[in-house]
């Protein structure tokens, strides 16, 4: 339990950039652990992989589908950028990937196409569209870029290194794996600097194919 008090201004990139006050006098326990839910989370469901499917957005702790009114390639392109799924191939409408459940976000999204996240796009109306789940928007991204994630850890920024390529998540072997390699992974995922580099014994062996081996980064 890290008991230091963080005093962030709100414009820092990572929490380690915030000022801290030693918390040695605090009486913290497991019940004092903090948590957070971020807005604007995005996922694709019902598709062939993580880079195709029905668009769903998390708002106020609720996942909802996106209305397809005025949904076009520019909007779909931003979804692909947001999910690091490469260039967009197609913008789908009329529940192409099946009808979702629950909430429907009926705002009209007007993206220019160069935004990196869907919540950076302009919203032209709020809840005025007569949408049902038959109007759920979808997207197909090319997924031809290499993607990276950390699996089996306690959060987004720790875990087993896995690479997505050619439609499948695979493993990185620990031959020559060192702190410089780990530091590059952390920077790519916008997780700050590496604290440690582990072999397969820390987070277990993944089930996918070996996609990379003998990685040797300069680390600069």
């Amino acid at each position: 339990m890290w008991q230091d008090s963080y005093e962030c201004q709100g414009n820092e990139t990572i929490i380690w950039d915030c000022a801290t006050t030693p918390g040695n006098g605090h009486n913290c326990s497991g019940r004092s652990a903090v948590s957070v839910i971020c807005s604007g989370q995005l996922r694709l469901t019902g598709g062939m992989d993580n880079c195709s499917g029905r668009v769903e957005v998390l708002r106020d702790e609720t996942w909802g589908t996106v209305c397809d009114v005025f949904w076009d390639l520019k909007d779909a392109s931003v979804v692909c950028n947001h999910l690091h799924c490469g260039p967009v191939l197609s913008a789908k409408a009329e529940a192409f990937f099946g009808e979702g459940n629950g909430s429907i976000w009926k705002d009209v999204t007007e993206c220019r196409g160069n935004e990196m996240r869907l919540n950076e796009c302009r919203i032209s109306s709020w809840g005025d569209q007569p949408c049902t789940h038959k109007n759920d928007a979808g997207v197909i991204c090319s997924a031809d870029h290499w993607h990276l994630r950390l699996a089996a850890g306690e959060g987004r920024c720790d875990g087993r290194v896995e690479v997505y390529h050619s439609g499948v998540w695979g493993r990185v072997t620990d031959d020559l794996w060192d702190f410089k390699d780990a530091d590059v992974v952390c920077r790519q995922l916008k997780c700050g600097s590496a604290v440690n580099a582990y072999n397969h014994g820390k987070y277990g062996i993944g089930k996918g194919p070996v996609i990379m081996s003998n990685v040797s980064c300069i680390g600069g």
Side-chain angles (χ1 to χ4, degrees):
M1 173 71 67
W2 307 116
Q3 301 192 32
D4 294 345
S5 296
Y6 287 92
E7 299 177 357
C8 299
Q9 299 298 313
N11 58 356
E12 297 87 353
T13 304
I14 56 177
I15 196 168
W16 315 123
D17 291 337
C18 299
T20 59
T21 301
N24 297 331
H26 297 168
N27 186 23
C28 292
S29 66
R31 294 182 178 180
S32 305
V34 299
S35 59
V36 64
I37 296 176
C38 302
S39 63
Q41 293 190 51
L42 183 69
R43 68 185 182 188
L44 299 178
T45 60
M48 295 295 294
D49 52 38
N50 293 339
C51 291
S52 65
R54 182 175 59 252
V55 180
E56 297 187 353
V57 177
L58 182 67
R59 293 181 183 173
D60 299 325
E61 303 183 37
T62 300
W63 285 101
T65 59
V66 175
C67 182
D68 64 7
V69 174
F70 303 122
W71 184 255
D72 59 18
L73 279 174
K74 291 182 179 179
D75 305 321
S77 177
V78 176
V79 170
C80 294
N81 289 336
H82 191 151
L83 296 175
H84 305 288
C85 282
V88 63
L89 292 180
S90 181
K92 297 297 183 181
E94 298 180 347
F96 180 87
F97 292 101
E99 297 181 18
N101 298 303
S103 299
I104 305 172
W105 308 125
K106 301 178 182 180
D107 310 333
V108 173
T109 303
E110 297 183 353
C111 300
R112 297 186 302 275
N114 59 353
E115 297 89 348
M116 294 307 299
R117 299 177 65 86
L118 195 62
N119 56 5
E120 295 174 1
C121 298
R122 178 175 176 268
I123 301 297
S124 63
S125 66
W126 295 88
D128 296 334
Q129 306 305 320
C131 291
T132 69
H133 281 298
K134 295 183 183 297
N135 302 104
D136 287 344
V139 65
I140 299 176
C141 308
S142 64
D144 62 354
H145 290 181
W146 292 65
H147 312 299
L148 189 67
R149 71 180 181 187
L150 300 179
E154 296 183 358
R156 186 181 70 85
C157 292
D158 74 305
R160 180 177 61 248
V161 180
E162 295 186 349
V163 175
Y164 185 83
H165 183 58
S166 298
V168 65
W169 284 101
R171 294 174 289 143
V172 178
T173 63
D174 59 8
D175 307 307
L176 305 180
W177 187 257
D178 60 18
F179 195 89
K180 291 181 180 179
D181 307 323
D183 205 38
V184 172
V185 169
C186 291
R187 290 204 305 273
Q188 182 173 339
L189 294 176
K190 298 182 179 179
C191 287
S193 301
V195 174
N196 212 331
Y198 300 102
N199 62 19
H200 70 274
K202 175 67 174 179
Y203 295 104
I205 300 175
K207 297 181 180 180
V210 174
I211 293 181
M212 298 182 70
S213 60
N214 297 316
V215 176
S216 181
C217 298
I218 298 174

